[in-house]
Amino acid sequence: MSPLVLQAPVAGWAGPLDEVPDAVFAGRMLGDGVAIDPVGSVLISPCDGVVVSVHR
């Protein structure tokens, strides 16, 4: 079996949802997760695909 290498898909920081200034996410109304604040403009995909929609 070949080794699996995981890399960060975007430069930035990650933190708890409690730090997000949006009541929907901070209140976990959409479920549990993590907040990611990207600091760059490049997002790397681990596989081939097509981005069909991006929320501003």
Side-chain angles (χ1 to χ4, degrees):
M1 179 183 283
S2 61
L4 175 64
V5 178
L6 298 176
Q7 297 179 350
V10 65
W13 64 265
L17 285 179
D18 301 333
E19 296 179 6
V20 176
D22 183 303
V24 173
F25 291 104
R28 291 178 170 74
M29 294 178 197
L30 297 174
D32 202 11
V34 63
I36 300 173
D37 186 9
V39 296
S41 60
V42 176
L43 175 67
I44 301 168
S45 173
C47 60
D48 291 337
V50 175
V51 177
V52 295
S53 177
V54 176
H55 188 324
R56 352 188 262 187

